[in-house]
Amino acid sequence: MKRVAFAVAGLALVVGVIVLRDTGGSDSTLPTAPPPPTKLKPYVAEQVLVPSPQSRPATPTGVVARGGHHKIQLNWAGDAPAYEVRWGERTKLVTRQGTQLNGLVNDREQQIEIRAVDSFGQRSQPARTTATPRADSAPYTFVDRFDAPDEPDLQRWRLAKRTDCARATSGDEDDHDRLIISSSCGTRAVTLRSRTPFVRSDDESRVVIETDAPSTGGKLLLDLVPGPVSVQGDPVPPNTIRATVSTDPSGNSVVELVPNGTAVKALPAALPGVTVRWEIVLTKDGTQLVRDGDVVATSPFVPQWHEATALFGFAALAGDRIRAGVDLIGYRTAKADAPPAVPTPQVRVDGPASVSSNPIANVTGGQLRIALIPSRESEPLTAVRINGVVVPLRPAVEGTPWKPGAEFPAVADLPKEAFTDNVNVQLVTEERIQVTHTDVELTGPTNPPQRQSGTPLVDAKPLLADPVPEVLDASGQPIENGAAFNRGRVVLEIRINALDSSVAGLAGFEIRLDGTHVATVPTTADGPAAAGRWRISLNTAAMTPGAHAVEVRAFSTDSDVHPETGYVPFLLKP
């Protein structure tokens, strides 16, 4: 995209850039606001200069299409701020040179067109390709492709979360044949636990996950724990293998492999919504972390254990929300099966004793899994009371330290009195100990099919990105924070960009100076834009000295998408 420059007299100062996201909400007692506009008419006040569309963007080149199970991955080259991808009667807008099409029928060829989209909505000529989704035929001793109508299968999986802030469900719309982990738990990992044990074979063993996590600004944790642990905390339990993939908001990723791991290859930038295949590989010589067939980290650690619990963790960075798609989890190990499962009871910690509990039929055994954090130096907790019966409590992994501020995973065998739909747990101690997680496993001779229905907590609907305005000097550089500038012409730069798997169509934006409407810039020349950078020339010569502010409000072509607003204050010299 060409950048439009203006002659600028005087200096400009950015005192600070404040971006505000409207959060919505409603009150039935208030009048209903009119829907936001989806079409904008151009408007320019006196002494304001706005850019106009230039030549159309170049057609994307170097398109590569790869078919997978119910999906097609696409990559291409180009320098446009956004791209439109069309397949069948579907379209999506993306802001990176790659995307993934989900929810496709295997063995049905797809005709695909990719167009570059500039900041005014102008389209290039299309780059065309074809691809066919195909099922994965790789051999596994255990595998789940999560393409049943209701997921997950509770015979195979449990979702561990410290509060009711996350869900594991079938996806909606194009994600209908994937498992979706959605969470508003912030930086604490939500853990998908396999009930099927990971049993090492004599030579090479591996656990595989295909997922689009971590997206931009998130973490993916892969654990093999030699004990009955349900959550992923710190410190890592002894003799546990943990691979952590962390991605910053710009898509830059780093990996960590413990114990004693070394990163051996830099990771490519993450593409939002695109599935990556991660593998932990155990050999006679050590441990490897593999990304899409490339070894990215190694460790000399060779575990002495024969069996482990496989945990898959998903976390956001900086308290954001996450929505992660999982296409496959599998083992290439010795053969193992999940134990028969019966309905999962409700667990209460220090709940009222008066709550009634009803027996669950066909239960042959049970186990309490609990995570504790002691508040001070004390003797380890060695017993808990479960439905009124005191039972021993032991470390889930031998050698785990009991120390203040550290999460301690523990386990207790359930008495028969706890084979009920409500299980009350009480700590047998006078010490202050925080319980961060509990779950109960009941097993029985029957194996009825159990599925988890529901909808994801985090919606997949594309949204607008926040507009980020900034005041620049004559050379196009931001002014040092804190200094007032002379009155005259200044340049307002507006940036709209998003790192999402798809974004809502941008109809354009309005600019207000101290509350006065000074410009409207439509961005729908051939269709909606999605991202871009614009430079607006403003005349501040007639304005009074002191503090002023610019407000930029962006609108979508979809009336259901909420407008987004950005602000920038500035100071004028006397």
Side-chain angles (χ1 to χ4, degrees):
M1 180 184 67
K2 293 185 178 180
R3 301 180 68 183
V4 182
F6 298 92
V8 181
L11 299 175
L13 166 69
V14 178
V15 175
V17 177
I18 305 172
V19 177
L20 301 180
R21 178 176 289 273
D22 296 318
T23 58
S26 63
D27 186 335
S28 60
T29 64
L30 299 176
T32 302
T38 57
K39 295 182 179 179
L40 301 181
K41 294 182 178 180
Y43 170 75
V44 181
E46 292 185 7
Q47 303 300 314
V48 177
L49 299 176
V50 300
S52 59
Q54 303 298 307
S55 58
R56 294 183 181 278
T59 301
T61 60
V63 177
V64 176
R66 296 175 298 277
H69 186 52
H70 294 304
K71 62 179 179 284
I72 292 173
Q73 292 184 343
L74 298 164
N75 292 89
W76 59 85
D79 60 359
Y83 300 88
E84 180 185 73
V85 182
R86 297 184 184 182
W87 70 107
E89 298 181 353
R90 305 294 307 277
T91 64
K92 69 189 300 189
L93 288 167
V94 299
T95 59
R96 290 297 178 268
Q97 292 82 20
T99 191
Q100 181 169 298
L101 312 181
N102 295 314
L104 304 178
V105 177
N106 282 343
D107 302 316
R108 181 181 295 176
E109 184 180 76
Q110 297 289 325
Q111 306 285 333
I112 303 166
E113 296 183 346
I114 304 167
R115 292 170 171 83
V117 181
D118 71 11
S119 57
F120 290 93
Q122 295 185 125
R123 263 70 173 161
S124 72
Q125 291 298 311
R128 294 184 173 91
T129 190
T130 61
T132 303
R134 300 194 187 281
D136 175 15
S137 59
Y140 296 96
T141 53
F142 162 80
V143 67
D144 198 337
R145 292 180 173 87
F146 304 105
D147 47 10
D150 293 317
E151 292 291 354
D153 180 353
L154 297 184
Q155 171 72 15
R156 293 181 163 192
W157 306 102
R158 293 288 188 269
L159 183 70
K161 52 190 185 296
R162 291 169 174 83
T163 60
D164 189 20
C165 58
R167 294 177 188 168
T169 64
S170 293
D172 45 13
E173 299 183 359
D174 288 350
D175 289 331
H176 64 84
D177 49 17
R178 313 170 81 199
L179 178 70
I180 298 298
I181 306 294
S182 51
S183 166
S184 58
C185 303
T187 58
R188 301 299 296 270
V190 176
T191 300
L192 185 68
R193 170 170 63 88
S194 174
R195 297 187 70 247
T196 303
F198 179 91
V199 181
R200 293 180 59 199
S201 55
D202 293 334
D203 44 16
E204 180 184 279
S205 301
R206 62 182 63 203
V207 59
V208 181
I209 180 172
E210 293 184 359
T211 177
D212 58 18
S215 189
T216 51
K219 282 187 177 183
L220 173 68
L221 295 87
L222 311 179
D223 284 14
L224 294 174
V225 187
V229 175
S230 293
V231 294
Q232 295 162 295
D234 290 312
V236 179
N239 298 311
T240 293
I241 297 172
R242 171 175 291 179
T244 305
V245 186
S246 302
T247 305
D248 68 18
S250 299
N252 302 310
S253 299
V254 296
V255 298
E256 182 182 8
L257 181 63
V258 296
N260 307 319
T262 302
V264 297
K265 186 173 184 178
L267 300 185
L271 279 174
V274 174
T275 293
V276 172
R277 182 185 181 92
W278 297 97
E279 301 173 78
I280 294 180
V281 182
L282 281 61
T283 71
K284 295 179 180 179
D285 300 321
T287 303
Q288 299 175 338
L289 176 63
V290 180
R291 180 193 185 277
D292 283 342
D294 292 330
V295 177
V296 296
T298 62
S299 168
F301 178 70
V302 178
Q304 299 304 304
W305 45 258
H306 179 64
E307 182 176 310
T309 302
L311 305 175
F312 307 88
F314 307 83
L317 298 182
D320 205 351
R321 304 199 304 168
I322 57 170
R323 179 188 167 102
V326 181
D327 295 303
L328 176 147
I329 294 177
Y331 302 163
R332 295 185 188 177
T333 59
K335 178 66 176 176
D337 296 310
V342 294
T344 303
Q346 295 291 322
V347 183
R348 306 184 320 276
V349 178
D350 294 327
S354 59
V355 175
S356 62
S357 296
N358 300 312
I360 298 178
N362 299 320
V363 179
T364 58
Q367 187 181 78
L368 168 72
R369 300 183 179 201
I370 190 168
L372 310 166
I373 299 179
S375 61
R376 63 177 186 175
E377 292 287 350
S378 63
E379 292 298 318
L381 187 65
T382 58
V384 290
R385 183 177 288 107
I386 304 176
N387 281 11
V389 179
V390 176
V391 297
L393 185 72
R394 62 186 184 276
V397 179
E398 288 298 328
T400 303
W402 174 273
K403 60 182 181 180
E407 200 162 49
F408 181 85
V411 65
D413 295 324
L414 295 180
K416 292 183 178 180
E417 290 83 353
F419 297 167
T420 57
D421 58 356
N422 284 297
V423 175
N424 186 49
V425 176
Q426 295 174 307
L427 305 186
V428 183
T429 182
E430 298 297 324
E431 296 288 338
R432 292 185 57 189
I433 298 174
Q434 179 186 0
V435 178
T436 60
H437 173 78
T438 59
D439 70 79
V440 163
E441 280 278 0
L442 297 180
T443 57
T446 60
N447 185 13
Q450 299 180 61
R451 295 279 178 174
Q452 179 70 59
S453 61
T455 57
L457 183 67
V458 179
D459 194 1
K461 186 175 180 62
L463 301 175
L464 282 178
D466 295 309
V468 179
E470 195 167 20
V471 182
L472 309 178
D473 65 14
S475 64
Q477 298 298 316
I479 299 300
E480 180 184 354
N481 241 359
F485 59 85
N486 294 321
R487 286 173 289 176
R489 284 206 170 270
V490 297
V491 171
L492 174 69
E493 182 172 271
I494 299 167
R495 300 184 299 276
I496 298 178
N497 194 18
L499 283 168
D500 294 322
S501 57
S502 63
V503 295
L506 177 67
F509 54 88
E510 292 180 348
I511 302 172
R512 295 183 181 274
L513 180 58
D514 292 338
T516 300
H517 184 200
V518 297
T520 297
V521 180
T523 60
T524 53
D526 299 327
R533 180 177 296 188
W534 304 262
R535 285 190 171 184
I536 317 295
S537 177
L538 303 175
N539 190 350
T540 63
M543 298 177 66
T544 59
H548 299 273
V550 173
E551 174 189 354
V552 179
R553 195 172 199 198
F555 298 90
S556 175
T557 52
D558 184 344
S559 61
D560 293 331
V561 175
H562 205 276
E564 299 298 343
T565 305
Y567 297 90
V568 56
F570 60 90
L571 290 173
L572 293 177
K573 288 183 178 180

